[in-house]
Amino acid sequence: MRQVIVNNIVSLDGRYADESGNPLALNMDGAFDRANLESAESADLILLGRESFDGFSAHWPFVADAPEPDDVNAPEARAFDAVNRAMSRRYNSLPKVVVTDRGSIPAGNPWHDSTTTIGRADVAGWLAIERERGDGAIVIFGSHVLWNALLAEGLVDELHLMVSPTVLGTGVSAFTGAADLRLLESRTFDDSGNVQLRYAVRR
């Protein structure tokens, strides 16, 4: 059976994003990048909400072949390092499913040919069937509304939460409902204050 894995970063006080809805308030550093690449490499399908898809498809398709930054030591140059270029190539190669009621993906979108859409009312039934096909992972990045709905339906197997050493105080709560979790693994990083927690979802 395929595993459905949610991969997200959260603040130390359990926030998905700040009060403006911006997750970039969290510590998305090199350790975060490497963990995302590991997750993408384990996937054979990426599942996204429409907002996350629109944001990702405006950025990731172009990273792999982007010119080298003029100043490779500038903080913004990390977006084009080897890890992020590998992430771009992996995203580009994987099939993607977008849960949306806003219609199809425009033909001009660089991920148009590798993306399928499915309506919100249909996703739970589709995923219940899709989980039975093969042994790979269906990975969800971002997509906070989507994965909370699937968690409530009992359709998430694992949560991989990168905990940022940031206390936001206010903002978007990572969880919108109750969940019973069992810790599988915790990871620290020599070059980061982040901690990754991997949980199984108890049913």
Side-chain angles (χ1 to χ4, degrees), residues 10-15 26 162-168 193 195:
V10 300
S11 70
L12 192 60
D13 57 341
R15 307 289 179 175
L26 302 175
M162 184 70 77
V163 181
S164 169
T166 310
V167 177
L168 293 177
V195 175

Side-chain angles (χ1 to χ4, degrees), residues 189-203:
F189 308 92
D190 292 338
D191 60 344
S192 174
N194 288 341
V195 175
Q196 188 179 48
L197 303 177
R198 184 166 67 92
Y199 290 99
V201 179
R202 299 182 193 268
R203 295 189 179 88

Side-chain angles (χ1 to χ4, degrees), residues 16-30:
Y16 172 82
D18 66 16
E19 59 186 4
S20 70
N22 182 12
L24 297 179
L26 302 175
N27 187 34
M28 297 183 181
D29 62 3

